[in-house]
Amino acid sequence: MSHGREKILQTSLQEFAEKGYDGSRIDYIAKSAGVNKALIYYHFKSKEELYTAVINDLFEKAASVSITPTGTSVRDNLLQIMEHFMHFLHENPFFVKIMDQCVKHSRDIFNNLHHQNIFFERVMSMYLLGVQNGECRKVDHPEDFIVSLLGAVYFYFSHHKAIRKFYGDISEEEVISIRKRTMKDMVSRLLFS
């Protein structure tokens, strides 16, 4: 990826997250990125295409960080993937803001995302392997279980301002550590015999 394109994506990410799709301006993105508007339109045909590229870029970065599980059991591997998802959301707060905006404003970009289902697909494949080898219990509607587990991780980050107060006066690192332990416990209790 060219340096100019990467700079445009990074600047756009912040602009879209802070101002939303409708409030963001290509002129401002160009100025902040230190490029001219023509370069933006050289790489991206429209604001909508740029917006979709920003989200795809985030998913690609999530995929590029090793999600290849290294555990010795399905349980270990599934927990690693869930922890990676939590780490990704914690390290990418703009991602959560943009995704929430897409849902809130019914932005129909989800069909244009390349890696939207990366975490779902990895968790589902681990679960199905676990069912096949007898490590996971078989559940009705496993898709709903996986969506619910991923949603439980996502919920903390998407509702951070409302939820954070329940944890009292502890550091964010401590809260994340608690959330990781809770998710491990939830996954273990729900999916494993």
Side-chain angles (χ1 to χ4, degrees), residues 20 26 34 40 49 69 74 118 124 130 154 158-159:
I26 296 295
I40 292 176
E49 187 177 303
V74 168
I118 186 168
M124 181 60 80
Y154 187 85
S158 69
H159 289 71

Side-chain angles (χ1 to χ4, degrees), residues 97-190:
K97 285 182 178 182
I98 287 176
M99 293 308 290
D100 284 352
Q101 290 169 16
C102 289
V103 172
K104 181 179 175 184
H105 297 291
S106 300
R107 289 240 164 259
D108 190 22
I109 64 158
F110 297 104
N111 292 330
N112 299 321
L113 299 178
H114 307 305
H115 296 291
Q116 177 188 0
N117 298 322
I118 186 168
F119 291 106
F120 176 83
E121 290 166 359
R122 297 276 169 89
V123 172
M124 181 60 80
S125 67
M126 279 290 111
Y127 167 74
L128 293 174
L129 177 63
V131 168
Q132 185 179 24
N133 74 14
E135 194 175 339
C136 291
R137 69 184 186 89
K138 188 172 168 106
V139 298
D140 292 335
H141 310 290
E143 299 83 6
D144 192 50
F145 265 73
I146 303 309
V147 166
S148 296
L149 289 172
L150 292 170
V153 173
Y154 187 85
F155 183 77
Y156 172 76
F157 297 99
S158 69
H159 289 71
H160 183 265
K161 287 182 181 175
I163 294 172
R164 182 61 175 89
K165 66 181 180 179
F166 299 128
Y167 290 90
D169 198 22
I170 61 175
S171 71
E172 187 66 12
E173 288 72 28
E174 290 174 283
V175 173
I176 296 300
S177 179
I178 290 167
R179 293 292 304 150
K180 285 179 181 178
R181 287 193 307 272
T182 300
M183 284 311 303
K184 286 179 180 181
D185 190 38
M186 287 174 62
V187 169
S188 296
R189 289 173 188 260
L190 290 173

Side-chain angles (χ1 to χ4, degrees), residues 10-162:
Q10 288 305 310
T11 303
S12 299
L13 169 63
Q14 185 170 350
E15 178 77 358
F16 286 132
E18 290 175 355
K19 297 180 181 167
Y21 178 83
D22 294 328
S24 297
R25 300 287 175 257
I26 296 295
D27 290 342
Y28 182 81
I29 292 169
K31 182 178 178 184
S32 295
V35 301
N36 63 40
K37 212 161 112 171
L39 184 62
I40 292 176
Y41 286 115
Y42 171 78
H43 288 292
F44 310 99
K45 294 179 182 120
S46 66
K47 184 176 167 182
E48 182 81 18
E49 187 177 303
L50 175 59
Y51 187 69
T52 303
V54 164
I55 298 170
N56 273 324
D57 186 56
L58 281 170
F59 275 119
E60 287 169 18
K61 286 177 179 161
S64 69
V65 176
S66 177
I67 308 180
T68 305
T70 58
T72 57
S73 67
V74 168
R75 178 190 301 246
D76 290 344
N77 291 334
L78 192 56
L79 293 175
Q80 282 178 17
I81 293 168
M82 293 296 286
E83 189 167 333
H84 179 79
F85 183 50
M86 184 175 291
H87 180 75
F88 172 72
L89 294 174
H90 179 61
E91 294 296 315
N92 293 284
F94 289 150
F95 173 82
V96 174
K97 285 182 178 182
I98 287 176
M99 293 308 290
D100 284 352
Q101 290 169 16
C102 289
V103 172
K104 181 179 175 184
H105 297 291
S106 300
R107 289 240 164 259
D108 190 22
I109 64 158
F110 297 104
N111 292 330
N112 299 321
L113 299 178
H114 307 305
H115 296 291
Q116 177 188 0
N117 298 322
I118 186 168
F119 291 106
F120 176 83
E121 290 166 359
R122 297 276 169 89
V123 172
M124 181 60 80
S125 67
M126 279 290 111
Y127 167 74
L128 293 174
L129 177 63
V131 168
Q132 185 179 24
N133 74 14
E135 194 175 339
C136 291
R137 69 184 186 89
K138 188 172 168 106
V139 298
D140 292 335
H141 310 290
E143 299 83 6
D144 192 50
F145 265 73
I146 303 309
V147 166
S148 296
L149 289 172
L150 292 170
V153 173
Y154 187 85
F155 183 77
Y156 172 76
F157 297 99
S158 69
H159 289 71
H160 183 265
K161 287 182 181 175

